[in-house]
Amino acid sequence: MSDAMTTTGNRPDRVPLRAGSPGSARAWLDSYDGRECVVFEVEDNEADRGALSPADSETLERAAQEALLRRIPLVGFIASSGADIDSGIAATMGWGRVAKSVVDCSGQVPTIFCATGPAVSGPALLLGLADIAIATEDSYAFVTGPRMVSQYTGEVISNQTLGGAGQLSRRSGVAAFLVEDKDAASDLVGALLSLLPAHADELPPRYPVDDPVDRPTPELRDILPESPLGSYDIRDVVRAVADDGDLLEYKADWAANLVCAFATVAGRPVGMLANQPQTLAGTLDIACSQKGARFVSFCDAFNLPLVTFVDTSGFQPGKDLEWRGIIRHGAQLAFAYARATVGRVNVTLRKSYGGAYIVMDSRHMGNDIALAWPSAEVAVMGARGAVEIVHRRSSPEERAELETAYEERYLNPYIAAERGSIDAVIDPADTRAEVAAALEVLESKRETLPRRRHDNTPL
């Protein structure tokens, strides 16, 4: 296991930023194995259940402002029943200032918030504002609670069923990671911070590793099933490329048809994305488009190069997805890749068809180095679909011959290479070495976006 992924959160004495009253929010300067950060905590206690008073809001606001001023990460541990009702509108106004200060940190310093108990109303939205949200097993979060749900819908529901940690990680995608308890959350924060720079103008740390950069990956030669419709676990490919096979998988339980993970390659922290054939045949839908777009945007903000492994036949069809706006959400993934300025390496393993080819960081979306296995198929669609459209009046025997001819003529990476969509066709056994070499070449990449107030993400 690489040094970058074994952080245990060994911290010195805390330096308080603001001394709150007993049971209120607290904030202090802290360090995770030498990585300085600002930490705040809202404690769910018997007296006030962590209700945020105006003074508590000032503490959290100060913490975010201090993190931005010092250019260091902001870490939060949240267990709060929401705004303090007895404080009236002042508590709500205070939470608004907290939200504003956290948004000011966005894209400037990493923000990692952990739900360690209840997170209701405003505190729940703080989880949504964070770059990375972590949930402990006994936590829950929702904007409107069971009583409000019962009042408006008549449905009786528990806290855990409505917004428990399982729901946050599997159904809503709010939680990027699910851990056992607060100590485990703290350890995970340390592991994440070890892979990230302190702020957006700094490069991620580089670590010495024992895993050879040119380690061959012969196991990948046999990973693809013989049938083009066969399934396999894409994480086996990602682990083969990563140092020591070590991954921190982001939102592993949500939108599993797209795997996103933090890892290191040759000691260099990277973000990896890969279509997962084991789930929905690796097709793209709304949830995975949102997941991928958020992950790409985060990695780009904090200078983590992107490595994308492609094996998808396209977007998942269905009227429900179209009605729910897959056009908008699919555009989010395309938008995130197109605006990313970090080094971008693309490896096509098997299928890369149509619109999914475009949004999965294709050459024409601006990737820097495009690699492909000999098994790669880069085309508008598969042979069967193409023949059924173009030669729909042909007999079954004729269609079979036409499919074979289509595969030989179009479904190979060499045609794509001739047209400039692929830079090199590589042996699967050389995948780690080729990816590492590409990342080394891109180490000095610097790209500046046109000056503007901000872009207009297709939300």
Side-chain angles (χ1 to χ4, degrees):
M1 182 175 289
S2 66
D3 294 339
M5 309 291 275
T6 58
T7 304
T8 58
N10 191 14
R11 304 185 298 278
D13 293 337
R14 298 169 174 175
V15 179
L17 292 178
R18 178 187 176 93
S21 58
S24 65
R26 298 171 295 155
W28 61 90
L29 292 177
D30 211 331
S31 178
Y32 285 82
D33 285 350
R35 303 306 302 275
E36 189 180 18
C37 59
V38 173
V39 180
F40 71 80
E41 180 179 30
V42 184
E43 186 177 3
D44 178 22
N45 54 71
E46 294 183 2
D48 58 17
R49 298 300 310 278
L52 293 177
S53 67
D56 295 331
S57 296
E58 289 180 14
T59 299
L60 303 190
E61 181 184 14
R62 167 73 187 280
Q65 292 172 344
E66 195 72 19
L68 188 58
L69 178 65
R70 293 174 178 266
R71 306 281 279 167
I72 55 178
L74 176 65
V75 176
F77 295 89
I78 301 172
S80 171
S81 59
D84 181 17
I85 296 177
D86 292 337
S87 299
I89 192 64
T92 303
M93 293 167 60
W95 184 88
R97 292 195 299 270
V98 174
K100 173 64 167 61
S101 63
V102 171
V103 171
D104 288 341
C105 293
S106 179
Q108 301 294 320
V109 297
T111 56
I112 305 175
F113 296 168
C114 308
T116 57
V120 179
S121 188
L125 293 176
L126 284 181
L127 298 176
L129 291 177
D131 291 323
I132 295 176
I134 300 171
T136 61
E137 290 182 353
D138 59 352
S139 67
Y140 59 86
F142 37 69
V143 177
T144 57
R147 291 185 180 180
M148 193 68 70
V149 171
S150 177
Q151 180 179 343
Y152 277 85
T153 70
E155 182 180 3
V156 178
I157 192 169
S158 68
N159 289 334
Q160 290 297 327
T161 301
L162 181 60
Q167 312 292 20
L168 297 176
S169 63
R170 290 190 294 269
R171 288 183 176 270
S172 66
V174 171
F177 298 94
L178 177 60
V179 296
E180 183 178 359
D181 53 27
K182 185 177 177 180
D183 288 340
S186 184
D187 288 344
L188 179 55
V189 168
L192 288 167
L193 291 180
S194 73
L195 297 171
L196 300 173
H199 54 79
D201 295 326
E202 181 179 281
L203 293 176
R206 186 81 180 267
Y207 294 94
V209 291
D210 296 327
D211 195 354
V213 175
D214 58 352
R215 168 174 53 80
T217 55
E219 67 273 20
L220 298 185
R221 286 177 175 161
D222 301 319
I223 197 168
L224 296 181
E226 293 184 6
S227 169
L229 302 179
S231 178
Y232 63 97
D233 191 347
I234 192 65
R235 288 171 295 191
D236 292 337
V237 176
V238 180
R239 291 192 185 100
V241 174
D243 292 335
D244 301 307
D246 199 5
L247 306 177
L248 273 178
E249 192 173 346
Y250 170 91
K251 300 192 177 184
D253 298 325
W254 184 62
N257 44 330
L258 183 70
V259 171
C260 300
F262 298 104
T264 63
V265 176
R268 178 184 291 106
V270 299
M272 294 188 174
L273 298 91
N275 305 114
Q276 175 58 287
Q278 285 188 335
T279 303
L280 300 178
T283 56
L284 304 180
D285 61 2
I286 289 174
C288 86
S289 297
Q290 294 173 326
K291 173 180 173 178
R294 182 68 170 170
F295 186 74
V296 168
S297 180
F298 175 78
C299 291
D300 182 54
F302 296 107
N303 305 313
L304 270 67
L306 293 164
V307 181
T308 304
F309 299 93
V310 183
D311 185 356
T312 179
S313 59
F315 282 93
Q316 185 183 359
K319 70 176 183 181
D320 178 62
L321 289 171
E322 297 292 348
W323 291 353
R324 288 164 51 205
I326 196 170
I327 293 174
R328 291 185 294 106
H329 297 294
Q332 290 174 1
L333 183 56
F335 193 95
Y337 268 125
R339 76 177 306 281
T341 61
V342 294
R344 292 152 55 188
V345 181
N346 180 285
V347 185
T348 303
L349 311 182
R350 187 168 57 169
K351 293 175 288 187
S352 183
Y353 296 159
Y357 158 74
I358 296 297
V359 304
M360 287 300 296
D361 201 24
S362 69
R363 164 51 47 81
H364 308 290
M365 287 293 289
N367 73 39
D368 298 296
I369 297 178
L371 307 173
W373 288 1
S375 51
E377 301 176 355
V378 182
V380 175
M381 62 178 64
R384 177 174 296 181
V387 169
E388 287 180 352
I389 292 175
V390 179
H391 302 282
R392 55 184 176 274
R393 293 188 177 87
S394 301
S395 66
E397 293 77 12
E398 291 173 330
R399 287 187 183 184
E401 294 179 1
L402 290 167
E403 286 177 20
T404 301
Y406 184 92
E407 290 173 355
E408 293 175 352
R409 183 174 182 182
Y410 296 110
L411 298 188
N412 68 77
Y414 303 100
I415 300 298
E418 288 178 2
R419 297 177 178 176
S421 296
I422 298 295
D423 292 314
V425 180
I426 64 172
D427 186 332
D430 297 330
T431 304
R432 171 176 163 83
E434 292 285 354
V435 169
L439 292 171
E440 186 68 30
V441 168
L442 296 171
E443 178 75 20
S444 60
K445 178 187 176 183
R446 299 294 183 271
E447 181 180 344
T448 303
L449 293 174
R451 183 175 178 82
R452 52 188 169 185
R453 286 174 57 87
H454 60 77
D455 48 33
N456 188 20
T457 305
L459 300 174

